[in-house]
């Protein structure tokens, strides 16, 4: 698996069927399926998902969304940043660096990244050089966000 | 356990020690502990947690926070609402209606409630009359929110 490539996933019935293999299949995917069925979006529209194919099969994916500077409560100076979620590598394809490939792809935009990881994945995120934010209940509520800072960006001081 | 009472929890070392028994102990609790240790908040300050004691032991809890009307993206008309998270009943005390007691307490404010439940708890939330929102990727990102609507309140139409 040397030549893995991260691709932006297209919304179509094949992609949505493949998504069912991932644990965090949920309302986001169902919403995409409904939009496709009701022609609210076209077949093969671009989705907020990026993934890695092995042959013809999707084996890893993440969702990535740009949050506008005006909503930035995390970074200094305030700026557009990426929200990363649903990072997942299918069980049989773990331990091959595919998760890192996806994270490196997100980092390649050179924007700060925020993620709200699942319990028990902190070791992975630490290796990816993500750090815990200084928790702020009004901003973070039930989240335990981790952030990645590109050069020249700091965490916002909320005190 | 007929006379259970929901109480607002105070921040002190006993409470914070009891929180360690709950699965979703994390950055929020650690932040409260640090604030207490550094005298940034006083002993026995009010916390965003509500709980149920059995004798002298905390056996159930939830975190509850009022979100201001100006940030309301869920309800029509826009208004202050409650964000509920970390609802949990300790294993030995389940099946006695304590989760419902906590949710009923939250409902007693007669404000709309939003929660972002853990996977596999949807049956519970359905029984509590919570409903799925119409997913909106820009607003909900990686969340699968459920909401509860008091009389006269509707879900915001985001289309």
């Amino acid at each position: 698996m040397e030549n893995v490539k991260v691709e932006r996933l297209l919304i179509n019935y094949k992609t949505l069927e493949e998504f069912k293999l991932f644990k965090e299949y949920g309302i986001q995917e169902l919403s995409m399926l409904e939009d496709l069925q009701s022609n609210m979006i076209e077949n093969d529209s671009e989705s907020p998902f990026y993934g890695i194919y092995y042959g013809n099969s999707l084996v890893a994916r993440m969702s990535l969304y740009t949050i506008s500077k005006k909503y930035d409560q995390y970074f200094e100076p305030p700026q557009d940043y990426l929200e990363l979620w649903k990072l997942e590598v299918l069980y049989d394809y773990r331990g091959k660096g595919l998760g890192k490939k996806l994270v490196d792809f997100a980092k390649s935009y050179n924007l700060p990244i925020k993620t709200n990881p699942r319990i028990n994945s902190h070791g992975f995120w630490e290796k990816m050089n993500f750090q815990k934010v200084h928790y702020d209940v009004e901003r973070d509520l039930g989240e335990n966000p981790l952030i990645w800072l590109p050069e020249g960006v700091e965490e916002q001081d909320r005190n």
Side-chain angles (χ1 to χ4, degrees), chain A residues 34-50:
Chain A
E34 274 176 22
D35 289 350
L36 185 63
Q37 285 169 335
S38 62
N39 297 312
M40 278 177 65
I41 50 166
E42 279 177 50
N43 194 42
D44 291 337
S45 299
E46 291 192 332
S47 78
F49 281 96
Y50 295 80

Side-chain angles (χ1 to χ4, degrees), chain A residues 10-20 32-39 43-44:
Chain A
L10 300 174
I11 303 178
N12 55 45
Y13 290 103
K14 177 175 181 294
T15 306
L16 291 168
E17 192 59 35
E18 293 189 299
F19 279 177
K20 290 186 185 166
M32 284 164 54
L33 184 60
E34 274 176 22
D35 289 350
L36 185 63
Q37 285 169 335
S38 62
N39 297 312
N43 194 42
D44 291 337

Side-chain angles (χ1 to χ4, degrees), chain A residues 1 17-25 51-54 56-62 86-99 102:
Chain A
M1 303 196 76
E17 192 59 35
E18 293 189 299
F19 279 177
K20 290 186 185 166
L21 294 174
F22 293 82
K23 281 191 191 150
E24 291 194 58
Y25 183 91
I52 295 172
Y53 285 94
Y54 182 67
N56 201 29
S57 305
L58 184 67
V59 300
R61 68 166 196 177
M62 68 178 167
K86 292 196 181 175
L87 176 71
E88 186 176 341
V89 178
L90 291 185
Y91 190 81
D92 290 344
Y93 297 87
R94 292 184 192 167
K96 301 175 197 296
L98 300 185
L102 286 168

